[in-house]
Amino acid sequence: MDKIRITGGKELNGDIEISGAKNASLPLMAAAILTDQPLMLSRVPDLKDVLSLNDVLEQLGIRAQYDGRSKKLALNGAKITNTEAPYDLVRKMRASILVLGPLVARMGEAKVSLPGGCAIGTRPVDLHIEGLKRLGAEIELHEGYILARAPKGLTGAPVHFTKVSVGATENIMMAASLAKGTTVLTNAAREPEIVDLGECLIKMGAEIEGLGTDKITIQGKQFLRGTEHSVIADRIEAGTFAVAGAMTGGTITLKNCDIKHLQYLVAPMHKAGVHMTGDKGDVIIHREDDRIHGFDIMTEPYPGFPTDLQAQMMSMLTICDGAGMITETIFENRFMHVPELVRMGANITVHGASALVRGVPKLKGAPVMATDLRASVSLILAGLVAEGVTTVSRIYHLDRGYEDLVGKLTGVGAQLERLKDQEEAAE
Ligand code: UD1
């Protein structure tokens, strides 16, 4: 398995182009199931998760053509030949559950493997299932599969989510777009990726109101048409590079991303002594003082602080002047980066869902292991400021969600390289 070797201590300066959002691309791809006409997506990042969902869609009979250079993805669901998403494909990526709502809405049936647990907690799919039942689907769980049936189609209904869920909001919003009548989602998620999906569904012919609020009203249509849609910028990738800039010093410009979607980061960055300013679609990061100052964060659904930036912020706190507290409220078991950061000299104590991070003047390079997507990038960030060499193994996690991470960081002055399997053996 490949590794990344980082030599720490370089100040980063320059521009980083932000890719299209992974978490917006995946639901948009699933929306291709809703129409027999082509859906043309642009600014789709070249990531393992995108390829995994392409495999699921192709299994259903959807033609998928991705051009990694232009970042355009053409999806054509003229003929859906199969309504089953098998375990072998779904287990690779939980977000495959997003095909469930669109499939049952268009085809009247779906068989989708339960995603099962994952590294950051149990992550159930009960809200997806309950929401579809409210729209009239009959659902059974059988041998690890969700079997959903709605032979006469789905019917709009009020759906109240007992917990805010990004994926469940997306799944039900897509299903409701092809249901008869009106669906009102309450306690819906408000993430920019949901707004992006909703805007695409509107272009496809659905009538949707309340995007970006916790009450979304969807007027379903008998047919939806194809369209073209450009994916929004990846705010988690942008936030990750903002942290890289803050930790290493220097000035970084994040190109083509929206500071509006990064508001939760501005206040903790300010506390840390880092300026974050928007400039015509770019975001500029500049640290004022020699050391980062301590700050506290608590993860929450949008517009609160995203769990997907929690590990990166912890990395940043490890070298602060003072201390900071991180509280994770979205996923249990999302502190797996802690022991790895401690191996690099960080001083972190975990109490339940909170971690107290006491800053140290310097981290020390060490061999460390990635455990999930965001945890792995937090180790890369730590490696950028650590004394000496850090080697991060199991970086296949990174390939799921960061497009050309090594290229983007070396482009602004970082010293890191990807070691292929064979080079590792020679190490
Ligand atoms: C999405 C993001 C992921 C991010 C997460 C939270 C994508 C592809 N992934 O994941 O990167 O970390 O939002 O911002 O967009 N829950 C239930 N029952 C359900 C569904 C969820 O209890 O049926 C719980 C989860 O266990 C978790 C919370 O709700 O505690 C939020 O999860 P959810 O918003 O659904 O996350 P995902 O959509 O899986």
Side-chain angles (χ1 to χ4, degrees):
M1 273 180 277
D2 294 3
K3 293 183 184 176
I4 290 179
R5 181 164 57 199
I6 312 148
T7 306
K10 304 279 182 270
E11 186 184 281
L12 304 188
N13 281 293
D15 295 352
I16 302 182
E17 186 68 36
I18 300 304
S19 299
K22 167 178 91 71
N23 286 353
S25 301
L26 301 174
L28 285 164
M29 290 166 67
I33 299 170
L34 295 166
T35 173
D36 61 2
Q37 296 177 11
L39 178 62
M40 313 294 285
L41 299 174
S42 51
R43 205 183 184 188
V44 177
D46 192 356
L47 296 173
K48 232 198 293 92
D49 273 7
V50 166
L51 301 179
S52 298
L53 190 56
N54 261 350
D55 288 345
V56 175
L57 295 176
E58 283 182 333
Q59 171 89 13
L60 304 176
I62 291 183
R63 272 191 289 129
Q65 274 179 306
Y66 181 58
D67 177 358
R69 234 160 31 94
S70 67
K71 314 286 180 208
K72 286 190 195 299
L73 173 62
L75 295 166
N76 190 325
K79 281 197 204 82
I80 292 192
T81 48
N82 177 18
T83 52
E84 176 175 340
Y87 175 68
D88 259 3
L89 295 178
V90 175
R91 75 180 167 83
K92 289 192 190 149
M93 190 190 47
R94 236 191 94 78
S96 311
I97 188 75
L98 290 171
V99 304
L100 178 67
L103 264 182
V104 71
R106 172 153 167 212
M107 304 302 291
E109 60 171 37
K111 179 176 176 188
V112 177
S113 168
L114 281 163
C118 73
I120 59 173
T122 46
R123 300 183 81 169
V125 289
D126 54 316
L127 300 169
H128 301 245
I129 292 175
E130 286 311 312
L132 285 174
K133 279 187 179 168
R134 295 280 305 148
L135 301 190
E138 287 162 26
I139 299 192
E140 262 177 78
L141 300 183
H142 186 66
E143 293 178 346
Y145 277 82
I146 306 168
L147 308 177
R149 261 181 238 101
K152 295 192 183 126
L154 297 172
T155 309
V159 177
H160 180 76
F161 295 109
T162 48
K163 190 169 182 178
V164 181
S165 161
V166 175
T169 303
E170 292 165 344
N171 226 338
I172 309 307
M173 195 162 85
M174 287 189 276
S177 299
L178 269 190
K180 286 185 220 73
T182 307
T183 297
V184 181
L185 307 180
T186 47
N187 202 26
R190 301 158 61 182
E191 270 70 0
E193 293 74 20
I194 290 173
V195 178
D196 203 30
L197 171 66
E199 282 170 356
C200 181
L201 293 171
I202 291 171
K203 285 193 244 170
M204 292 169 74
E207 277 175 54
I208 305 182
E209 276 173 24
L211 290 171
T213 75
D214 62 0
K215 182 177 172 191
I216 303 176
T217 306
I218 304 130
Q219 190 70 51
K221 299 287 159 182
Q222 206 176 353
F223 298 103
L224 294 177
R225 55 180 174 266
T227 191
E228 290 181 11
H229 188 81
S230 174
V231 178
I232 55 168
D234 196 314
R235 63 196 170 92
I236 304 301
E237 188 202 26
T240 302
F241 289 128
V243 173
M247 288 176 79
T248 57
T251 303
I252 298 265
T253 302
L254 308 171
K255 303 295 288 178
N256 297 314
C257 68
D258 197 340
I259 196 158
K260 220 174 54 233
H261 297 160
L262 288 165
Q263 283 309 313
Y264 41 74
L265 199 53
V266 175
M269 282 287 191
H270 183 72
K271 268 221 152 142
V274 179
H275 283 295
M276 207 174 146
T277 41
D279 180 32
K280 300 185 204 95
D282 297 339
V283 175
I284 301 162
I285 309 294
H286 175 68
R287 190 175 86 206
E288 280 293 289
D289 303 324
D290 272 359
R291 300 265 311 261
I292 290 163
H293 308 298
F295 55 85
D296 298 338
I297 56 162
M298 178 157 87
T299 63
E300 287 176 312
Y302 191 84
F305 197 90
T307 174
D308 287 352
L309 278 177
Q310 181 258 105
Q312 298 88 317
M313 294 307 266
M314 190 178 296
S315 241
M316 181 167 157
L317 273 177
T318 60
I319 52 161
C320 78
D321 162 18
M325 176 79 93
I326 294 196
T327 305
E328 171 62 55
T329 74
I330 307 290
F331 293 116
E332 76 263 37
N333 200 17
R334 208 177 195 181
F335 283 145
M336 282 170 309
H337 39 287
V338 170
E340 301 303 306
L341 290 172
V342 169
R343 284 172 57 75
M344 299 177 71
N347 181 346
I348 307 170
T349 324
V350 175
H351 303 276
S354 295
L356 174 63
V357 188
R358 294 186 177 89
V360 296
K362 270 260 170 246
L363 294 175
K364 303 242 175 357
V368 287
M369 199 173 75
T371 49
D372 74 42
L373 169 55
R374 308 302 169 183
S376 27
V377 87
S378 76
L379 303 176
I380 305 276
L381 293 171
L384 292 177
V385 294
E387 239 165 37
V389 175
T390 298
T391 315
V392 184
S393 55
R394 300 210 177 161
I395 53 156
Y396 52 86
H397 291 290
L398 279 175
D399 300 333
R400 289 190 39 218
Y402 287 93
E403 192 176 38
D404 190 22
L405 182 76
V406 169
K408 287 187 185 189
L409 284 172
T410 45
V412 289
Q415 194 179 336
L416 75 168
E417 61 191 322
R418 187 171 181 129
L419 305 175
K420 296 277 171 210
D421 240 349
Q422 301 83 327
E423 295 170 72
E424 256 178 61
E427 263 199 326

